[in-house]
Amino acid sequence: MQKSYTDALNNPIFKMISEAAEELSVDSYVIGGFVRDYFLKRNIPKDIDVVAIGSGIKLAEKVASKLEGKPQVSVFKNFGTAMIKSDGIELEFVGARKESYNRDSRKPIVEDGTLEDDQKRRDFTINALALSLNKSNYGTLLDPFDGIADLENKIIKTPLEPGITYSDDPLRMMRAIRFATQLDFQIALPSLQAITENKDRLKIVSNERILDELHKIMLCKKPSLGFSLLHKTELLGLILPELTALQGIEEIEGQKHKDNFWHTLEVVDNISEATDDLWLRWAALLHDIGKAPTKRFHKKIGWTFHGHEFVGSKMVFKLFKRLRMPLNEKMKFVQKMVLMSSRPIILSEDYVTDSAVRRLVFDAGDNVEDLMTLCEADITTKNPRKQRKYHQNFKVVRQKIEEVEARDHIRNFQPPISGEKIMETFALKPSKEIGIIKEAIKEAILEGEIPNEYKAALEFMYLKGAELGLQRTK
Ligand code: ATP
């Protein structure tokens, strides 16, 4: 007797689909991520894929007619799929199909097929598991490629020959690495080899799809797993050559620098323990990219990377543009983080003055906490004494930031004296003197010569005006 997994199907929607399919005299199965995640005891996903041995669109329409409120069916004729949103769940229906590919496109030639044909076209054995919704064997697992064993052994494997699977749809290379990272699975060796062999076919995949997978990898608990695999299969060099350029240790006259690629991956893992913010994780990934083009060796001082933060922040723009990522405030945030990524480090090395902290808060504004998080993640020394010391130093900087902010309100600095007030006081037309006075007031506040208050700033303005030989009107 085959085991039945009816407990996976306790949502009443499954009975409803089963009845609808019976009325249409078609067989139907739940397939893909829902079944995989049930066996992995992961959170049950909100999207459920149903395959019909017949028309998926007709089945979707029948199901919708039975559901309360008769939800709308979104039909994607070109793909032969239909989608219903009901009760926070997305139901995706497709007719079982057989696919064949030609070399220049990810678009397959599609014919009607059996359940097993449909399972063969799935990317991985763990994604090809199906549970029957048919009355005769409701809840039975259909697993022709032994996906259950691969789930148990934590293996990503393709149902068909891996070379064909990846060549047919090269997006699957990214998906393999993404699933391996999300689930902490190993990619089977023949698959890894096939990915490396087919890496150049990534060029037929749209940037959008690549980024989608890359972002999912970046949002994993330990993104370095994915980046190591991308590196190992040589896909990374095609997507982010700026990162692979950081790999390697050079030695001249007995002096070495650290491997900035593996260091970067550690920083990304560290920051992922502190934040789920995708863009802060991007900042961690890119914080050192300026180090490859700025690397120099000096006989006296050894290896230097002068100005790598500035160069790196310029590279962020080019990289975002190439990958067709949004050139919006998210990109500006990443640029700012890269540009400022060494600032708190300098502070934590020396005795921290209030004015240095005020300048940091002034420049970082609302992003000062994110910047500190990035710098803390940047500590990758293996020396426990140094590690403790650096963390302690940053703690002091964080404390100082709070103290200084409570007193001086620098974070969203607004000049306490406006340009109009300066013009009115000295009967000035728009001129460079106004800028000079405004800048002097700001500098005096940041240096701690005067508090960030209107009255003190007013007195300071009178003095500065007098120094410039300006007459007051009152
Ligand atoms: P997640 O929701 O975490 O991405 P999922 O497995 O549900 O996981 P989807 O992208 O929703 O992923 O895909 C649903 C199912 O469709 C997969 O489980 C797999 O069977 C199949 N599939 C998706 N993309 C491909 C692909 N490029 N090649 C072959 N099969 C695929």
Side-chain angles (χ1 to χ4, degrees):
M1 254 282 282
Q2 271 188 316
K3 197 171 172 225
S4 174
Y5 295 94
T6 42
D7 61 319
L9 308 176
N10 56 14
N11 187 324
I13 191 79
F14 291 115
K15 271 268 176 294
M16 200 175 278
I17 298 170
S18 175
E19 281 162 22
E22 177 142 316
E23 284 169 35
L24 293 174
S25 302
V26 298
D27 283 347
S28 65
Y29 301 85
V30 199
I31 195 162
F34 178 89
V35 186
R36 178 197 68 221
D37 288 349
Y38 162 76
F39 283 106
L40 281 175
K41 301 192 170 57
R42 283 175 100 207
N43 281 344
I44 293 297
K46 292 274 171 244
D47 43 339
I48 299 175
D49 295 291
V50 175
V51 59
I53 318 303
S55 164
I57 296 172
K58 282 197 183 129
L59 179 58
E61 280 161 355
K62 190 78 174 171
V63 171
S65 73
K66 285 174 171 286
L67 280 165
E68 211 178 47
K70 308 227 178 321
Q72 202 195 326
V73 181
S74 315
V75 175
F76 307 95
K77 262 225 167 87
N78 291 349
F79 299 99
T81 62
M83 203 254 287
I84 304 174
K85 280 189 190 170
S86 165
D87 231 3
I89 291 180
E90 265 184 34
L91 291 165
E92 180 110 13
F93 294 84
V94 64
R97 60 201 203 194
K98 207 173 169 174
E99 286 179 352
S100 48
Y101 288 79
N102 73 30
R103 263 194 81 74
D104 304 319
S105 155
R106 283 189 57 228
K107 269 212 194 104
I109 302 152
V110 179
E111 298 162 70
D112 290 345
T114 62
L115 172 68
E116 193 156 331
D117 288 331
D118 199 88
Q119 285 172 301
K120 276 186 198 154
R121 74 169 182 94
R122 303 271 158 180
D123 45 7
F124 309 114
T125 59
I126 61 167
N127 284 347
L129 302 167
L131 289 178
S132 167
L133 295 177
N134 309 318
K135 228 179 181 173
S136 58
N137 59 351
Y138 194 78
T140 298
L141 173 69
L142 288 307
D143 179 18
F145 308 109
D146 216 0
I148 289 289
D150 292 337
L151 277 184
E152 278 162 11
N153 298 322
K154 297 173 153 252
I155 296 278
I156 306 284
K157 217 193 257 174
T158 55
L160 301 180
E161 204 269 301
I164 296 174
T165 305
Y166 295 114
S167 168
D168 277 353
D169 178 1
L171 177 70
R172 294 169 183 160
M173 305 191 284
M174 296 296 296
R175 284 174 60 89
I177 294 174
R178 188 256 291 187
F179 281 116
T181 317
Q182 276 180 334
L183 304 174
D184 195 9
F185 276 29
Q186 301 289 322
I187 299 180
L189 201 58
S191 246
L192 261 187
Q193 284 163 349
I195 294 175
T196 314
E197 279 159 23
N198 283 285
K199 67 172 195 296
D200 292 320
R201 290 192 49 73
L202 194 70
K203 62 174 176 288
I204 67 163
V205 180
S206 73
N207 269 313
E208 199 190 339
R209 306 302 292 270
I210 296 174
L211 270 180
D212 216 29
E213 295 300 331
L214 192 66
H215 282 171
K216 286 183 179 168
I217 293 170
M218 285 182 81
L219 288 171
C220 286
K221 203 166 153 215
K222 210 167 172 219
S224 68
L225 296 176
F227 282 101
S228 311
L229 286 169
L230 287 171
H231 183 247
K232 195 170 176 176
T233 53
E234 298 169 29
L235 285 167
L236 191 62
L238 303 174
I239 309 169
L240 293 168
E242 297 85 350
L243 272 188
T244 43
L246 294 176
Q247 205 221 323
I249 299 174
E250 250 189 276
E251 181 170 348
I252 300 183
E253 295 173 8
Q255 302 207 57
K256 289 191 217 172
H257 61 79
K258 68 175 174 235
D259 184 310
N260 285 303
F261 174 69
W262 296 106
H263 160 73
T264 293
L265 296 196
E266 273 187 68
V267 178
V268 175
D269 280 352
N270 286 346
I271 210 156
S272 302
E273 285 179 20
T275 179
D276 289 333
D277 184 312
L278 175 66
W279 302 102
L280 192 48
R281 291 183 180 199
W282 261 108
L285 187 70
L286 303 183
H287 81 286
D288 269 350
I289 50 171
K291 281 193 172 170
T294 57
K295 184 166 94 172
R296 303 280 179 276
F297 182 79
H298 299 267
K299 273 194 172 328
K300 284 198 185 123
I301 42 175
W303 292 102
T304 64
F305 304 91
H306 284 313
H308 77 85
E309 302 87 347
F310 179 74
V311 171
S313 74
K314 295 278 166 222
M315 288 166 75
V316 168
F317 173 76
K318 285 197 188 139
L319 185 155
F320 269 54
K321 200 160 173 229
R322 187 188 67 236
L323 293 179
R324 305 220 182 88
M325 306 223 310
L327 303 175
N328 57 12
E329 76 285 355
K330 304 291 184 207
M331 182 205 64
K332 287 194 188 132
F333 167 76
V334 176
Q335 281 191 304
K336 186 171 170 184
M337 290 294 104
V338 173
L339 182 65
M340 294 193 73
S341 57
S342 303
R343 288 277 299 275
I345 298 170
I346 301 158
L347 283 190
S348 71
E349 278 166 0
D350 292 326
Y351 169 73
V352 203
T353 63
D354 280 8
S355 60
V357 172
R358 268 192 295 269
R359 283 187 188 280
L360 179 74
V361 177
F362 179 79
D363 291 335
D366 273 341
N367 305 125
V368 71
E369 260 92 41
D370 285 339
L371 184 61
M372 293 305 297
T373 304
L374 174 59
C375 288
E376 281 158 345
D378 204 1
I379 303 172
T380 60
T381 170
K382 299 293 167 290
N383 176 333
R385 199 182 49 80
K386 279 193 184 166
Q387 202 181 77
R388 262 196 310 276
K389 189 178 114 192
Y390 296 155
H391 276 290
Q392 182 53 32
N393 288 355
F394 279 133
K395 236 189 193 159
V396 173
V397 176
R398 276 194 192 260
Q399 247 164 23
K400 278 259 177 194
I401 290 173
E402 270 184 39
E403 282 166 25
V404 164
E405 185 52 24
R407 198 174 57 228
D408 303 330
H409 314 292
I410 300 295
R411 188 184 276 252
N412 289 309
F413 185 81
Q414 295 293 338
I417 302 285
S418 67
E420 279 92 74
K421 180 74 187 169
I422 300 170
M423 290 202 272
E424 184 193 304
T425 308
F426 301 108
L428 287 171
K429 296 232 158 54
S431 59
K432 71 170 197 271
E433 279 79 7
I434 303 158
I436 295 172
I437 295 174
K438 273 187 93 170
E439 183 63 17
I441 296 172
K442 185 194 93 188
E443 278 298 310
I445 293 169
L446 292 181
E447 276 306 305
E449 288 165 25
I450 59 168
N452 184 13
E453 286 163 10
Y454 178 76
K455 255 183 102 177
L458 197 68
E459 290 302 325
F460 187 85
M461 174 189 72
Y462 293 151
L463 278 175
K464 198 69 205 168
E467 253 178 60
L468 292 171
L470 301 173
Q471 296 292 323
R472 270 164 63 182
T473 53
K474 51 185 175 188

